[in-house]
Amino acid sequence: MVSINFSRSNYDSCVYFKKLSSGEFIYLLLYVDDMLIATSNMEEIVRLKEQLGSAFEMKDLGAAKRILGMEISRDQPNRKLFLLQKEFAGKVIRRFGMEKAKIVSTPLATHFKLSSTMSPKSEHEKKYMENVPYSSAVGSLMYLMTRPDIAQAVSVVSRYLACPGRGHSEVVKWIFRYLKGIINAHLEFGGNGILTGYVDSDFGGDLDKRRSLTDYVSTLGGCVISWKSALQSTVALSSSTEAEYMAITEAIKEAIWLKAFLGEIASLGDPIMVFCDNQSAVHLTNDRIFHERTKHIDIRYHFVHDVISEGNVLVKKISTEENLADMLTKPLPIAK
Amino acid sequence: MNEELQSMERTHTWIPNKFPPHWYIPPQTEYLLGYLTNHTWTLVQPSSGKKIVGCKWVFKKKVDGLRPESLRYKARLVAKGYSKVQGVDFNEVFSPVVKYTSIRVLLSLVAIKDLVLEQLDVKTAFLHGDLEEQIYMKQPEGFEVVGKENYVCLLKKSLYGLKQSPRQW
């Protein structure tokens, strides 16, 4: 690959790119033996295919229709691209026998309060759970990488993979029922090239260890490109500000990566706005005021100050209603 | 590669009944095996003290979508790499796997800049990588070379099933 003047991205070793004399880029994305090529110029694609064809035996699949089980469709006049996993979702719903289930409108209902106390205790319960394909069902849900709407629910059920109980499997069924209702949900790409991050957290939402949840959503041109919903590794001790601040740290890490990656492969490099709905956490990122309630926050979270002072990332306040990451912290009915 | 296959001599024992009975074996398979012998491994006398990994055929029926006429029978030779020990038989295990976020970033760029998006599939990707370690393998069942039945294959290229296969290419 390098021999035909492609450079490998420093931020993802499976992405190769080349700047053409016209100033445009040609991209090549590698997934073991699958390749995606993108550029503005059809001639360049033909030339690249010839070059690759002389080195390897290739099968030309033409315009990309699907990659890794994700279906790609395009609306070129409006510069939109859609990514969905309808077929895969249908398959897993059938596989786990949920095709006749009643649909629900939320990925996780508020009446579910999951904790490890629901893990099986009696022999009878253990026997019952042996026949429940809990981990493979959760694994299938994790593979739905075009569905940020179920990310929080999946993050919750995956905490109990080690010892699932009947209560936990009820929740997994619930997620499948939700999935069945909105099987067509897709990610839409397009818009301008502006990167934005949204952060939220819930404070002590995990009933077992009282750890908080980090959630962030990154968007490019208003379209969701990455998200995360995961428990924080340490317990936020005193306030939601602290939990929120730790979440900002995570989101900024992702934002830096995305910015560097985009800067490298597409020369896009505006400062990223990271939005957070907690005023005091925003204050905390912008000045180094320490007081009683926040002085114990670990040094590693203060790398945020350095990044902000370099001007690469800006942290701003946003109302909860407008915060995209909010949907990842709690079970909400959402419209994507 | 095809001309090279045609020009090759028949040197292999041909024991098709080792395959499941309904399997159709195309006539060039023999030549293909010959090609493998030259390019993927070399036949050598077994030396004592070296571990020899086994290999086996994996048979798979493959249909594209719902079209029954596209039914193909695929046979794949895999090395039994699970018996190997890190540090001795292989050093690094890594697959070129892209981050999902990178895919989404790229697709996003495609939409924003209205780029052409094309897809390619590399055939027999694993057979393209050169091996750094010395690995001996038994000869594939049903395709032993006449007169050299007790020889073993010294692998030059990686094969499905080896621990280091995915990163070799």
Side-chain angles (χ1 to χ4, degrees):
Chain A
M1 210 53 69
V2 180
S3 65
I4 47 174
N5 288 327
F6 268 79
S7 354
R8 173 183 271 202
S9 166
N10 291 322
Y11 301 97
D12 188 328
S13 54
C14 296
V15 177
Y16 295 83
F17 62 98
K18 183 164 91 170
K19 198 165 185 176
L20 304 171
S21 48
S22 59
E24 298 278 339
F25 286 92
I26 178 161
Y27 305 108
L28 195 149
L29 195 136
L30 204 63
Y31 192 89
V32 188
D33 59 354
D34 261 334
M35 267 185 216
L36 278 183
I37 305 172
T39 189
S40 56
N41 191 337
M42 195 63 206
E43 285 164 35
E44 281 295 331
I45 291 200
V46 173
R47 192 180 320 154
L48 178 63
K49 278 181 183 167
E50 276 168 11
Q51 280 173 329
L52 290 168
S54 63
F56 308 107
E57 210 183 328
M58 311 279 263
K59 193 157 120 197
D60 188 350
L61 301 171
K65 285 272 173 290
R66 50 189 311 137
I67 177 152
L68 302 172
M70 297 186 281
E71 296 143 58
I72 300 171
S73 61
R74 298 187 70 173
D75 175 6
Q76 281 188 311
N78 293 318
R79 298 202 164 194
K80 297 269 184 227
L81 187 147
F82 309 99
L83 196 61
L84 67 160
Q85 285 178 300
K86 187 184 170 194
E87 218 170 279
F88 176 76
K91 218 191 259 172
V92 293
I93 289 171
R94 279 194 301 279
R95 183 165 152 224
F96 295 104
M98 298 297 288
E99 66 266 50
K100 293 218 176 75
K102 253 199 304 190
I103 59 173
V104 291
S105 58
T106 53
L108 198 60
T110 37
H111 68 263
F112 289 125
K113 292 263 178 278
L114 285 185
S115 72
S116 56
T117 53
M118 289 173 179
S119 294
K121 286 177 195 71
S122 66
E123 280 305 312
H124 176 71
E125 276 179 283
K126 277 182 191 153
K127 269 257 149 48
Y128 173 79
M129 284 314 290
E130 270 171 22
N131 295 319
V132 178
Y134 187 83
S135 49
S136 59
V138 175
S140 302
L141 290 174
M142 282 179 180
Y143 197 70
L144 285 164
M145 55 255 176
T146 58
R147 301 296 298 267
D149 52 332
I150 60 166
Q152 191 257 343
V154 174
S155 142
V156 170
V157 291
S158 58
R159 286 169 211 167
Y160 308 102
L161 277 172
C163 195
R166 197 182 282 229
H168 303 131
S169 68
E170 287 306 311
V171 180
V172 175
K173 280 188 201 158
W174 185 278
I175 303 174
F176 273 111
R177 286 167 64 189
Y178 166 78
L179 198 62
K180 189 176 165 250
I182 349 186
I183 199 165
N184 280 324
H186 55 259
L187 290 178
E188 182 184 309
F189 298 118
N192 53 24
I194 294 171
L195 264 179
T196 316
Y198 297 89
V199 189
D200 204 357
S201 71
D202 77 334
F203 177 52
D206 170 43
L207 295 177
D208 295 328
K209 292 187 179 162
R210 285 289 167 190
R211 286 180 297 176
S212 310
L213 198 65
T214 288
D215 294 284
Y216 62 76
V217 174
S218 309
T219 62
L220 182 62
C223 308
V224 179
I225 52 170
S226 85
W227 61 87
K228 183 173 180 169
S229 177
L231 276 188
Q232 294 172 354
S233 54
T234 50
V235 179
L237 181 64
S238 51
S239 65
S240 59
T241 306
E242 190 182 336
E244 203 86 19
Y245 190 69
M246 297 206 269
I248 290 178
T249 310
E250 287 300 314
I252 285 181
K253 273 154 70 180
E254 177 78 3
I256 293 171
W257 179 79
L258 280 172
K259 181 177 146 64
F261 183 51
L262 274 170
E264 185 185 34
I265 68 167
S267 306
L268 293 171
D270 301 324
I272 311 164
M273 298 287 235
V274 173
F275 291 105
C276 167
D277 57 15
N278 185 307
Q279 185 69 61
S280 46
V282 173
H283 279 310
L284 196 60
T285 59
N286 288 328
D287 43 48
R288 290 171 185 258
I289 300 171
F290 293 93
H291 49 76
E292 280 302 303
R293 281 171 177 273
T294 54
K295 64 182 176 189
H296 61 282
I297 293 179
D298 198 301
I299 213 85
R300 70 186 141 143
Y301 294 110
H302 287 303
F303 106 105
V304 170
H305 288 298
D306 291 341
V307 177
I308 291 171
S309 59
E310 281 166 20
N312 288 329
V313 180
L314 298 168
V315 180
K316 286 273 156 66
K317 167 89 169 75
I318 194 176
S319 72
T320 306
E321 288 73 43
E322 288 170 76
N323 191 352
L324 282 182
D326 191 50
M327 73 172 188
L328 293 178
T329 52
K330 47 185 159 286
L332 278 179
I334 55 127
K336 230 193 314 175
Chain B
M1 177 169 147
N2 271 328
E3 296 94 62
E4 209 175 331
L5 286 183
Q6 297 303 323
S7 66
M8 220 117 65
E9 281 179 56
R10 296 179 55 145
T11 52
H12 289 70
T13 48
W14 183 239
I15 317 172
N17 57 10
K18 287 276 176 71
F19 278 56
H22 57 276
W23 279 75
Y24 164 72
I25 297 161
Q28 64 268 38
T29 310
E30 277 180 83
Y31 295 109
L32 188 67
L33 257 294
Y35 178 84
L36 287 178
T37 313
N38 284 339
H39 292 83
T40 309
W41 59 69
T42 42
L43 281 180
V44 293
Q45 291 264 20
S47 58
S48 58
K50 286 278 179 192
K51 200 165 169 184
I52 298 162
V53 297
C55 63
K56 69 170 187 180
W57 292 103
V58 174
F59 302 100
K60 205 156 93 182
K61 272 189 199 173
K62 204 170 177 180
V63 187
D64 279 342
L66 296 166
R67 292 178 299 122
E69 72 274 13
S70 69
L71 178 72
R72 282 183 299 160
Y73 291 97
K74 287 183 97 170
R76 172 175 284 174
L77 184 68
V78 299
K80 294 178 179 169
Y82 49 77
S83 58
K84 295 171 28 153
V85 182
Q86 179 159 20
V88 180
D89 302 308
F90 66 96
N91 294 316
E92 290 174 72
V93 184
F94 167 74
S95 276
V97 175
V98 71
K99 290 189 184 73
Y100 294 133
T101 305
S102 306
I103 299 181
R104 291 189 286 257
V105 169
L106 188 80
L107 292 178
S108 211
L109 286 175
V110 167
I112 291 165
K113 298 184 169 188
D114 196 21
L115 306 179
V116 190
L117 185 68
E118 294 267 310
Q119 195 169 14
L120 286 174
D121 183 70
V122 184
K123 288 183 189 167
T124 58
F126 287 167
L127 297 179
H128 289 296
D130 285 315
L131 271 181
E132 286 156 19
E133 295 93 348
Q134 270 196 349
I135 292 163
Y136 296 92
M137 188 185 75
K138 290 192 188 117
Q139 289 191 50
E141 201 183 357
F143 292 96
E144 288 88 357
V145 173
V146 183
K148 292 185 178 176
E149 282 85 355
N150 61 342
Y151 278 43
V152 292
C153 309
L154 172 59
L155 295 183
K156 292 197 278 193
K157 303 259 179 181
S158 63
L159 210 61
Y160 287 97
L162 291 179
K163 298 261 191 207
Q164 60 270 64
S165 290
R167 66 165 273 273
Q168 285 301 334
W169 90 280

